[in-house]
Each structure stands twice: as C-alpha cells, then as structure tokens.
Amino acid sequence: AMDQSNGFVRAMDQSNGSVADSGDSNGTPHADIGAVQNAVAPTALRKALAVLTQGRGSLFGENEMADASEALQAIFHSVHRALRPAPGTKHARPLSAAASSRSGGMFLDQESGYCSVVHRCFGVDVEESMTCSRCAVRSRTLRYTKFLHLVPAAALNLAMAYADGVDSMESAMRHIDGSDAKPCDVDAGGCGAMNGIEHALAADGVQRKSPAIFCVALAWESASATSDQVAETLANVQTTLNLAEVYERAPRDAGTYHLRCAMCYYGEHYAAFAVTDAGRFDGHERWMLFDDHRSKEVGEWEEVARVCAAGRMQPCVLFYQRENATVEV
C-alpha cells in the first residue's frame, strides 16, 4: 500500500502545472463564466490514479472517463493508505480479529489498524441490521465504513412524490435505504419473513464521531438528463441535512450539515459550484462556479439550481459540512 502511495506522490510531483484548456477532449464548448484564473492541470492526478488502480480496470487512463464519485473513492482510499501513523500514536488502533458470527464486517480503522484524517473527515461508520417485525429476532448485522452515501436521483424524486410519510430529503434517503428488503435469517433463529434493513451511524461522539463532511453521490439513469429532470432533482435537494433523520440511530455529536459544494457534469465535462467565505460578511450565501480554469460568482443556491437546469448540468456529488466541525490532523 505504501509503495502505491509513494507512486501517487511521485506521479503528482511530475505535474507540469499547465493550465487546463477551455474545452473538453471532444471539443465541447464550456459556459461563458468570466475571468480566467490559473488552475492545476489534472494530468498528474489522472496518471497517479491510474497507477493506484492497476489491475482494477482502466478508469483513470488518460483517454478514459471515470465519474466523480469513482475518482473521489480512489483518492480517499489512496490518501488513507498513505497516512498510516506510527504504532502507539494517538490515532493508531489495534487490528481487530475476524468479525464474529453475530456482527459481520469491520469499520475501516478496525481493518487497517489506524484512523486517518480522511476517515475522521469523510468516513461514515455504518451498522446495518434487521429486527424482524414478526419474530423480533435481530439478524443481518454488518459493519462497514463508506465515504459516499449513494442516492439514485430517480428514487429520490419518486420517494418525494409518492412515498407515504416522506416529506424531506432525509426521510427520502431513509426510505430508499430501508426499501432493501431481505428475509429474516433462519440460521440466526429467525422466521424467514421479509423485512427492511436498518442503517445506523456507529458513533459515540468520543472515539467514533460523525463525519465533518458528509458526501452524497447522486446516481443518474442517464448522462443526458433533461432540464426538467435536473430541476425536479434539485428541487428535492436540501441545503441542510440532519443525519438523525437519515439514519436509524444518531450520534451524540450529530448536528446540522450545510451544503457547501456540488460537483456537476454535462456532456463529458465536469464543473463545480462552491460556497465562498464572502457571504459571511453580508449574511447572504454566495456560490461560485468553477469550470476548468474559469470561475465566476453565481449568486445564492436558487440561482445555482436555475443555472444547472438551464444548462442540463447534473449534480453528481454533494458535500455537506457539519456545523462547527473541526478535524484534528
């Protein structure tokens, strides 16, 4: 793992620092978005990711197109592997033995023997389980760490429009997760009845906390969504989230999460909208559009939604930051 991480660093060191061009590889023109600013070309990062993912497909080759969530997953796991602390230091953890029959799987820090800053900042430690509504047997328990919470855009829109008791993005996300029904485990003494899976955050607010940044990956059925589909989805995207409404069990330190960045794509091109610090001084949230080496101020979130719908820009990753979140490096 460290050899791969060193390869990542070496590849990044080879960056020539050139500025990205104003169009994608197919000549797709970009939006007219104002003043030019220098930006780091992504070539070195793409090469580094290609080295790290050798043997697992060629998603990050120079002529390949991985989506934003796949790139983020690769980056998060690569940096996590590169930040292994010395034994006995604060964030080192004892390696866990194989999971017991009562609880399958392990959290990332239990599996790797340390809790990296990537895990503390972005990692969501989840405990899945099923409590049968017929026989009350608890089974199907599973532990794991994820960096992205997957939400199909179509499922979000359908849940908001038709599902009973769904009146918010949080309740729609819980409804979507709970719709994954499985039979009560007969081998664990269950009755075989179908039940939904519960998802809880494994956080005690002390050693295992809720993430500073909560990432939502919106999955689309088509890479060419209509303006109406983009507008409908963004109407159902909230700028604040409460993880206590998303998961069955909430950590003690869970607070309100605020949307701070949205990665979008159109055609075969990516752009990002992000909140700037300027809004702190006048009380109005200001969003910037970053499109390759160009950037401009867009306005408040409602204007971002309008721009995305008009340009058929599909949001694919949403970054929510917890209020007053701090991460010790």
Side-chain angles (χ1 to χ4, degrees):
M2 290 303 296
D3 288 342
Q4 286 187 323
S5 299
N6 290 336
F8 182 90
V9 173
R10 287 194 298 271
M12 291 301 294
D13 286 342
Q14 294 171 1
S15 172
N16 58 16
S18 62
V19 176
D21 61 24
S22 59
D24 60 29
S25 59
N26 294 325
T28 302
H30 297 175
D32 181 12
I33 54 173
V36 176
Q37 297 181 359
N38 288 342
V40 176
T43 304
L45 175 61
R46 184 183 291 272
K47 289 180 178 179
L49 290 174
V51 171
L52 289 169
T53 56
Q54 283 181 350
R56 285 168 280 175
S58 55
L59 291 175
F60 304 106
E62 290 195 63
N63 296 316
E64 299 298 330
M65 189 69 176
D67 66 31
S69 61
E70 291 169 330
L72 276 175
Q73 289 275 26
I75 292 170
F76 286 155
H77 283 284
S78 299
V79 176
H80 168 78
R81 291 194 298 267
L83 296 179
R84 179 184 295 274
T89 55
K90 181 175 181 179
H91 296 295
R93 301 278 192 274
L95 287 171
S96 295
S100 68
S101 58
R102 284 176 166 261
S103 180
M106 290 183 285
F107 301 127
L108 182 60
D109 59 317
Q110 295 174 331
E111 181 180 358
S112 58
Y114 60 96
C115 189
S116 70
V117 66
V118 178
H119 187 172
R120 299 194 300 278
C121 188
F122 298 98
V124 182
D125 296 328
V126 180
E127 288 183 328
E128 287 187 4
S129 65
M130 173 195 295
T131 302
C132 183
S133 58
R134 179 189 294 176
C135 68
V137 168
R138 187 172 184 266
S139 62
R140 306 287 182 188
T141 57
L142 179 64
R143 292 179 174 180
Y144 56 88
T145 299
K146 64 180 180 180
F147 292 120
L148 299 168
H149 187 109
L150 181 64
V151 178
L156 172 65
N157 296 334
L158 287 172
M160 291 291 289
Y162 302 109
D164 292 337
V166 172
D167 58 2
S168 66
M169 183 179 179
E170 295 107 327
S171 57
M173 292 166 67
R174 182 184 287 205
H175 172 81
I176 292 168
D177 285 345
S179 63
D180 181 20
K182 294 182 180 179
C184 180
D185 192 354
V186 176
D187 293 335
C191 63
M194 297 298 291
N195 290 269
I197 299 294
E198 297 178 350
H199 299 76
L201 284 184
D204 57 15
V206 182
Q207 183 178 22
R208 199 171 295 282
K209 300 181 179 182
S210 58
I213 307 293
F214 182 70
C215 300
V216 175
L218 287 174
W220 294 78
E221 294 181 343
S222 169
S224 302
T226 66
S227 294
D228 288 342
Q229 289 171 328
V230 173
E232 180 185 12
T233 301
L234 285 172
N236 292 326
V237 168
Q238 296 176 186
T239 55
T240 60
L241 284 181
N242 183 352
L243 296 194
E245 301 297 325
V246 176
Y247 293 95
E248 302 292 337
R249 186 174 67 244
R252 291 186 301 177
D253 68 329
T256 303
Y257 284 73
H258 296 276
L259 183 62
R260 288 291 178 260
C261 180
M263 296 177 63
C264 306
Y265 66 89
Y266 58 98
E268 293 185 352
H269 179 72
Y270 283 89
F273 296 89
V275 175
T276 70
D277 289 336
R280 296 180 180 179
F281 301 104
D282 58 17
H284 295 283
E285 204 170 65
R286 297 182 184 179
W287 286 79
M288 294 284 294
L289 171 60
F290 298 90
D291 191 345
D292 279 352
H293 61 289
R294 299 175 180 270
S295 63
K296 80 165 185 178
E297 185 173 320
V298 176
E300 298 190 5
W301 174 251
E302 291 74 16
E303 184 63 16
V304 173
R306 189 196 68 78
V307 169
C308 286
R312 296 170 58 194
M313 300 175 68
Q314 298 168 240
C316 53
V317 183
L318 308 174
F319 297 84
Y320 290 85
Q321 182 179 15
R322 178 162 45 85
E323 278 186 357
N324 303 318
T326 59
V327 178
E328 181 184 354
V329 177

